[in-house]
Amino acid sequence: DAEITQSPRHKITETGRQVTLACHQTWNHNNMFWYRQDLGHGLRLIHYSYGVQDTNKGEVSDGYSVSRSNTEDLPLTLESAASSQTSVYFCASSDTGTGDTGELFFGEGSRLTVL
Amino acid sequence: QKEVEQNSGPLSVPEGAIASLNCTYSDRVSQSFFWYRQYSGKSPELIMSIYSNGDKEDGRFTAQLNKASQYVSLLIRDSQPSDSATYLCAVNRAGGFKTIFGAGTRLFVKA
């Protein structure tokens, strides 16, 4: 079955360290997204990609970067982790071809703690 | 003003009752509207999508859309304790694939 997987599921790191969260989907979807979820804020869009070599900033992109070298993967990098980036991170994908591009398939989430 | 607004709740209803969840959005050119359900500690899952004004029914769920009022709602009939979750309203802007979420409404269904 097609799926979307995230790793690591849990990570504790220190302020100032670089962290990369992996996202891999086997749906063959063009669109991939990274969201963070914090109490009281819901899901906020960090970065998104509409295809290989395409990346775009979302509403809370400062301190984060992504790259899209193939269809399956969209890793999220925190260049210098800050305590404000402690959160649960969700990767999601959607299919352009069906026209119902708002139907997102989510990974299981990655809980990041920055000490 | 947030792009998508929901009452955070919690909304508490007895088992068997109708739960009514509401959402407003600010961008008039929004075209697609979605409801996601998220159980505690889990990822969101899509339960309803709606694109045209009016009602759309799927089992015990009914989504209602009023574009003139920029209002979307979700009705859950015959609520069950297993419906206890956070419900996220989401909106897609016209011409794009970027989905914006509300903060979610927590629903508790009491047995």
Side-chain angles (χ1 to χ4, degrees), chain B residues 11-21 60 74-79 107:
Chain B
L11 173 65
S12 184
V13 300
E15 184 175 359
I18 296 175
S20 178
L21 305 164
R60 295 187 296 112
L74 179 70
L75 301 178
I76 306 175
R77 291 182 301 280
D78 188 24
S79 296
L107 172 66

Side-chain angles (χ1 to χ4, degrees), chain B residues 30-56:
Chain B
S30 298
Q31 278 192 329
S32 310
F33 307 87
F34 308 89
W35 285 98
Y36 286 79
R37 177 177 62 199
Q38 186 176 25
Y39 292 113
S40 181
K42 301 296 184 181
S43 57
E45 58 177 331
L46 180 69
I47 55 172
M48 289 287 288
S49 58
I50 187 167
Y51 305 97
S52 304
N53 280 328
D55 295 359
K56 178 181 178 182

Side-chain angles (χ1 to χ4, degrees), chain B residues 44-107:
Chain B
E45 58 177 331
L46 180 69
I47 55 172
M48 289 287 288
S49 58
I50 187 167
Y51 305 97
S52 304
N53 280 328
D55 295 359
K56 178 181 178 182
E57 187 174 319
D58 184 359
R60 295 187 296 112
F61 298 97
T62 299
Q64 300 174 318
L65 174 60
N66 183 326
K67 290 187 177 181
S69 300
Q70 297 176 239
Y71 179 89
V72 191
S73 66
L74 179 70
L75 301 178
I76 306 175
R77 291 182 301 280
D78 188 24
S79 296
Q80 301 297 310
S82 59
D83 294 325
S84 297
T86 296
Y87 289 81
L88 303 170
C89 175
V91 173
N92 245 26
R93 290 174 170 171
F97 311 130
K98 187 174 65 173
T99 303
I100 304 299
F101 286 82
T105 299
R106 293 176 64 195
L107 172 66

Side-chain angles (χ1 to χ4, degrees), chain A residues 4-82:
Chain A
I4 181 167
T5 56
Q6 295 182 229
S7 62
R9 295 290 312 282
H10 302 273
K11 185 170 182 66
I12 300 174
T13 191
E14 296 177 341
T15 301
R17 292 195 179 255
Q18 184 181 78
V19 176
T20 296
L21 304 179
C23 176
H24 179 81
Q25 53 101 0
T26 58
W27 293 100
N28 199 33
H29 286 166
N30 288 328
N31 308 319
M32 295 185 72
F33 308 84
W34 274 104
Y35 290 88
R36 62 177 288 176
Q37 188 171 39
D38 305 287
L39 195 63
H41 290 281
L43 287 161
R44 291 184 290 175
L45 185 61
I46 305 171
H47 281 286
Y48 57 102
S49 169
Y50 292 154
V52 177
Q53 302 302 330
D54 175 77
T55 61
N56 306 279
K57 294 181 178 180
E59 60 183 311
V60 290
S61 61
D62 287 348
Y64 302 94
S65 64
V66 294
S67 61
R68 187 90 180 269
S69 59
N70 58 51
T71 300
E72 296 80 15
D73 299 290
L74 187 70
L76 177 71
T77 297
L78 287 68
E79 303 294 342
S80 178

